[in-house]
């Protein structure tokens, strides 16, 4: 039996740190390090859960290319069930090019590959699991309303607890109302504060959460970065502070790790507060190293 299936993005991150121009040659640069990391919401979340010892599966799309091979190998090495990976002929596996300067400033370069052209998940690709986690609603491969409705319904028909993280839309305006038939099937939603404000059109955390809950979502967990989180559920409403981290290296994937920690609490039948604490602890662990997943 699978504990959690994570559905969403798989990306290879190429991270360059401490780039400096050479005093001798204008078009040559040196860097402190250039490393490949696995990334993407579904990869980060599934690897974190597999690392905690849970039976974890992933549903994602990869191209038939070197980046796809690396990601699939790393997932398998981490113990993630990779049967739900679909390799797509003619599609590039998304590679994100990230540059972190010595002063901490960042440049990120993406291509159209992040839109996953040619990959749409089919309801029958979702395996039976205790939890189905939509690693980011409203971003490819989970941005099409009608496909999302079908996938959420399919997950519910299989009896899973349904969890969903969010991202801001890339281009078009997204209205939660367009998913109103299936929102009451979502047990837990995990927007960060910007996403919660965008999708609810409200200003304070209690108002944002109330709007999600008015639409039928049972438990709303708003991730508030270095502050921690705000939680509003059937059994109460509270804020929890983040676990203090003195040596923050990189917060990429902190949100995905928060969700993984929280889901580990659901699997252990913990209270809402204990689930949130497990999320904060896992997120804090993840920000002490570069990248959201592992380094190759
Ligand atoms: N500076 C920090 N110190 C301690 N914990 C942090 C810090 N930054 C983030 N976190 C932890 O990470 C969690 C998730 O971070 P955040 O609110 O930025 O989510 P997110 O925007 O969804 O992240 P992501 O970039 O992965 O999408 C927070 O709820 C908190 O627990
Ligand atoms: Mg996030």
């Amino acid at each position: 039996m699978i504990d959690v299936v994570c559905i969403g993005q798989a990306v290879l991150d190429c991270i360059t740190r401490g780039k400096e121009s050479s005093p001798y040659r204008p078009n040559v640069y040196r860097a402190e390090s250039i490393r490949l990391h696995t990334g993407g919401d579904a990869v980060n979340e599934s690897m974190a859960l597999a690392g905690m010892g849970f039976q974890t599966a992933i549903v994602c799309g990869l191209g038939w290319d070197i980046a796809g091979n690396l990601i699939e190998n790393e997932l398998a090495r981490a113990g993630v069930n990779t049967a739900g990976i679909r390799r797509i002929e003619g599609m590039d596996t998304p590679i994100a090019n990230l540059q972190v300067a010595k002063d901490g400033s960042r440049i990120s370069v993406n291509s159209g590959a992040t839109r996953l052209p040619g990959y749409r998940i089919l309801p029958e690709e979702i395996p039976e699991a205790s939890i189905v986690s939509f690693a980011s609603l409203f971003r490819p491969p989970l941005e099409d309303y009608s496909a999302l409705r079908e996938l959420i319904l399919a997950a519910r028909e299989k009896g899973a607890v349904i969890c969903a993280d969010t991202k801001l839309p890339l281009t078009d305006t997204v209205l939660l109302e367009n998913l109103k038939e299936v929102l009451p099937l979502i047990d837990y939603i995990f927007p960060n504060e910007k996403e919660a404000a965008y999708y609810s059109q409200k200003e304070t955390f209690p108002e944002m959460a109330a709007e999600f809950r008015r639409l039928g979502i049972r438990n709303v967990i708003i991730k508030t970065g270095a502050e921690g989180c705000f939680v509003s559920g059937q059994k109460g409403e509270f804020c929890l502070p983040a676990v203090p981290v003195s040596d923050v290296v990189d917060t990429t994937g902190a949100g995905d790790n928060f969700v993984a920690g929280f889901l580990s609490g659901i699997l252990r039948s913990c209270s809402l507060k204990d689930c949130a604490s497990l999320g904060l602890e896992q997120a804090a662990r993840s920000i002490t190293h570069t990248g959201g997943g592992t380094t190759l």
Side-chain angles (χ1 to χ4, degrees):
M1 181 63 182
I2 296 168
D3 294 317
V4 186
V5 54
C6 304
I7 306 176
Q9 299 169 343
V11 179
L12 192 66
D13 290 333
C14 176
I15 305 182
T16 302
R17 297 187 84 92
K19 185 174 116 179
E20 277 183 337
S21 53
S22 149
Y24 310 110
R25 290 193 284 168
N27 56 344
V28 174
Y29 296 84
R30 287 284 296 174
E32 281 169 1
S33 66
I34 307 174
R35 295 196 182 110
L36 296 176
H37 299 258
T38 54
D41 47 35
V43 171
N44 294 341
E45 210 176 292
S46 61
M47 281 198 181
L49 282 157
M52 294 174 214
F54 294 103
Q55 295 296 321
T56 311
I58 190 165
V59 172
C60 66
L62 297 172
W64 279 112
D65 49 17
I66 292 172
N69 294 344
L70 289 172
I71 295 171
E72 184 160 358
N73 275 336
E74 285 306 296
L75 284 163
R77 213 161 63 96
V80 176
N81 176 332
T82 57
I85 294 179
R86 183 137 53 90
R87 306 289 295 261
I88 313 279
E89 205 67 59
M91 186 183 90
D92 284 346
T93 300
I95 302 177
N97 201 315
L98 310 166
Q99 298 186 4
V100 185
K102 284 189 170 160
D103 66 4
S105 62
R106 290 160 168 268
I107 298 171
S108 145
V109 186
N110 286 298
S111 75
T114 51
R115 293 177 178 273
L116 302 169
Y119 176 62
R120 287 299 164 263
I121 299 163
L122 304 170
E124 56 270 27
E125 288 181 295
I126 303 181
E128 252 178 59
S130 304
I131 298 177
V132 172
S133 175
F134 293 93
S136 289
L137 297 183
F138 313 122
R139 277 290 174 91
L142 298 172
E143 87 283 31
D144 177 83
Y145 295 122
S146 68
L148 262 179
R149 276 188 218 109
E150 279 185 36
L151 295 176
I152 293 172
L153 276 171
R156 179 36 59 98
E157 272 162 22
K158 289 176 187 164
V161 171
I162 299 183
C163 297
D165 199 344
T166 60
K167 278 197 168 63
L168 292 176
L170 281 175
T171 47
D172 299 340
T173 306
V174 170
L175 296 174
L176 276 185
E177 291 280 349
N178 290 335
L179 278 183
K180 66 171 182 290
E181 307 91 325
V182 292
L183 294 176
L185 304 182
I186 298 178
D187 297 290
Y188 299 87
I189 197 161
F190 299 95
N192 68 20
E193 49 200 308
K194 284 198 189 114
E195 294 150 2
Y198 177 89
Y199 291 113
S200 67
Q201 299 287 300
K202 301 287 182 200
E203 282 176 12
T204 67
F205 296 143
E207 286 168 349
M208 294 175 198
E211 177 61 12
F212 283 105
R213 297 191 62 205
R214 183 185 71 77
L215 291 163
I217 299 172
R218 291 175 206 175
N219 299 282
V220 182
I221 296 92
I222 303 176
K223 292 168 288 178
T224 54
E227 298 293 310
C229 64
F230 175 86
V231 180
S232 171
Q234 292 159 311
K235 293 183 187 155
E237 197 160 277
F238 53 88
C239 284
L240 283 184
V243 174
V245 177
S246 53
D247 52 340
V248 177
V249 175
D250 181 10
T251 61
T252 307
D256 306 329
N257 276 276
F258 178 98
V259 173
F262 193 102
L263 301 193
S264 75
I266 299 177
L267 289 166
R268 296 189 183 113
S269 306
C270 293
S271 68
L272 198 56
K273 210 167 238 171
D274 287 348
C275 288
S277 296
L278 287 165
L280 296 166
E281 283 163 22
Q282 177 64 27
R285 274 193 290 277
S286 79
I287 62 178
T288 58
H289 57 84
T290 303
T294 53
T295 313
L296 301 176

